[in-house]
Amino acid sequence: TDSVLESLDLSSNKLEDELPDSLGMLHNLQYVNLEFNNFSGKIPESIGKLSSLKTLNLSYNNMIGPIPDTLGQLFELVHLDLYGNSWDGILTESHFTNLTRLRSIDVSTYRPMSLIVKLTHEWIPPFKLYTVGITNCSVGPKFPAWLQLQTELSDVTLRSTGIWGTIPEEWLLKVSLQLKYLDLSYNHIRGRLPLQLKCPTLYHIDLSYNRFDGPLPLLSANLTIFNLES
């Protein structure tokens, strides 16, 4: 018989070991929060059987390995938070093709450039993200084309991702209208910020350790953190 369990929150404990394959038997799970534990090993392939899952939070554990592409079977997934582990391998279109409801994703990793986000230039994402967090992953060298199709973003972190070149001005002007948080630090981004940049809700901007030049645009009065170090 199917499990009736819909919500599983074991966050902020000291739980250890690998996640069992049997996790995939809990077919009615909608919410899984296992953050701030000591889980190790890989995400089980059986995760793709959780067809009702809306939130998956595995952040701040000791997990490793490639992220299984069975993740792409989670049609209902809205929030994917994998921050603060040691992922490696490659993320491709097959991880995301069916995630039409996805609104926030964080795949930041502790091991620099061990996880590669390899999404082709022609790929059109099926989702509209509000939040994207990518730190210490290989995304570059060009500013990713799939991200330029995300026009509803409010929180963007692309920190230490190997991006070179300039930020597409048309995209930046469009997202700046609702942008609240922007971290593009530790890349190789050059060029100028458009002077007509309007950021009425922006409170945090970190452009440190890049190669920007030119004058600063007039930024929001709500700004509390503004980092242009180096």
Side-chain angles (χ1 to χ4, degrees):
T1 57
D2 275 354
S3 163
V4 295
L5 190 66
E6 292 184 357
S7 181
L8 178 64
D9 189 340
L10 300 171
S11 58
S12 301
N13 283 288
K14 296 180 181 177
L15 300 173
E16 299 180 348
D17 282 332
E18 299 186 12
L19 298 184
D21 261 336
S22 55
L23 186 66
M25 296 169 64
L26 304 176
H27 293 297
N28 286 310
L29 273 179
Q30 296 181 27
Y31 178 87
V32 173
N33 185 359
L34 303 177
E35 70 176 349
F36 291 108
N37 279 290
N38 296 316
F39 287 115
S40 57
K42 301 176 181 179
I43 300 174
E45 298 268 346
S46 64
I47 199 83
K49 295 177 181 176
L50 303 180
S51 55
S52 301
L53 197 63
K54 295 178 179 175
T55 295
L56 177 61
N57 187 348
L58 302 177
S59 53
Y60 298 105
N61 279 285
N62 299 316
M63 299 185 73
I64 59 166
I67 296 165
D69 60 6
T70 51
L71 207 70
Q73 298 166 22
L74 302 177
F75 298 92
E76 300 291 325
L77 197 64
V78 179
H79 303 290
L80 176 63
D81 198 342
L82 305 178
Y83 183 90
N85 288 280
S86 297
W87 310 116
D88 57 41
I90 300 174
L91 283 177
T92 66
E93 290 91 338
S94 60
H95 286 87
F96 302 110
T97 300
N98 300 312
L99 306 188
T100 57
R101 296 172 186 241
L102 197 63
R103 291 295 174 264
S104 71
I105 179 171
D106 198 320
V107 293
S108 302
T109 178
Y110 283 145
R111 293 171 58 194
M113 298 302 174
S114 58
L115 182 64
I116 300 168
V117 181
K118 194 173 186 179
L119 302 168
T120 60
H121 193 77
E122 300 79 23
W123 183 63
I124 299 175
F127 46 69
K128 289 289 183 190
L129 296 176
Y130 300 141
T131 302
V132 58
I134 304 177
T135 300
N136 283 338
C137 303
S138 176
V139 175
K142 290 183 178 179
F143 199 88
W146 64 269
L147 192 64
Q148 295 175 51
L149 298 172
Q150 302 299 309
T151 54
E152 298 176 15
L153 290 164
S154 67
D155 289 62
V156 178
T157 298
L158 292 172
R159 180 182 176 93
S160 185
T161 57
I163 293 176
W164 291 72
T166 57
I167 305 174
E169 185 172 315
E170 187 180 345
W171 171 80
L172 185 58
L173 289 172
K174 189 174 283 188
V175 296
S176 70
L177 297 173
Q178 73 272 351
L179 207 56
K180 295 177 181 175
Y181 185 104
L182 179 64
D183 182 351
L184 300 174
S185 59
Y186 293 91
N187 286 293
H188 309 279
I189 302 170
R190 56 181 171 78
R192 300 183 171 209
L193 295 174
L195 282 176
Q196 65 272 42
L197 197 64
K198 292 183 177 68
C199 300
T201 56
L202 191 68
Y203 70 88
H204 179 119
I205 183 167
D206 188 344
L207 304 177
S208 59
Y209 297 96
N210 281 287
R211 300 174 183 180
F212 289 103
D213 58 50
L216 287 173
L218 289 169
L219 291 166
S220 165
N222 297 321
L223 208 59
T224 56
I225 291 182
F226 187 29
N227 191 351
L228 285 175
E229 194 174 353
S230 88

